[in-house]
Amino acid sequence: LEIYLVSFDPNAALKSEPHYEGSQEFLTIIKGAVSVAAGDNTAKLKKGDFIIYNCDIPHEIVNDSPQPAVVHMVVRYQDGHR
């Protein structure tokens, strides 16, 4: 597992290449609002929302608002990776 507290400035993005096969990210929005895209799937999330998505495909988290955002992220890898 990897655990992060990630702060996003207004209009900032975190774009990621695919992680190891079978990897997942667990995201909780602590402050503000963000959009998450994983492959062809997208979701708009606000404070208190939670999402799980596969991160073995291109994915990104975007704060497309004029306010800062903070998210708690857990990255889970399949056994044998990381």
Side-chain angles (χ1 to χ4, degrees):
L1 288 180
E2 294 179 6
I3 301 171
Y4 302 97
L5 188 63
V6 185
S7 297
F8 291 88
D9 289 331
N11 302 304
L14 175 61
K15 296 183 181 192
S16 298
E17 294 297 318
H19 299 303
Y20 295 108
E21 184 177 348
S23 299
Q24 291 182 308
E25 288 183 1
F26 300 73
L27 203 70
T28 303
I29 312 311
I30 305 299
K31 177 181 177 180
V34 298
S35 297
V36 176
D40 294 331
N41 299 307
T42 60
K44 289 194 174 278
L45 307 165
K46 63 185 183 318
K47 180 180 176 181
D49 288 343
F50 174 80
I51 190 170
I52 302 171
Y53 53 92
N54 294 329
C55 59
D56 56 359
I57 55 178
H59 55 286
E60 67 179 356
I61 304 167
V62 178
N63 176 10
D64 51 8
S65 79
Q67 303 298 320
V70 178
V71 303
H72 180 263
M73 176 193 303
V74 176
V75 183
R76 185 185 67 81
Y77 298 99
Q78 291 286 64
D79 292 339
H81 292 293
R82 199 71 170 145

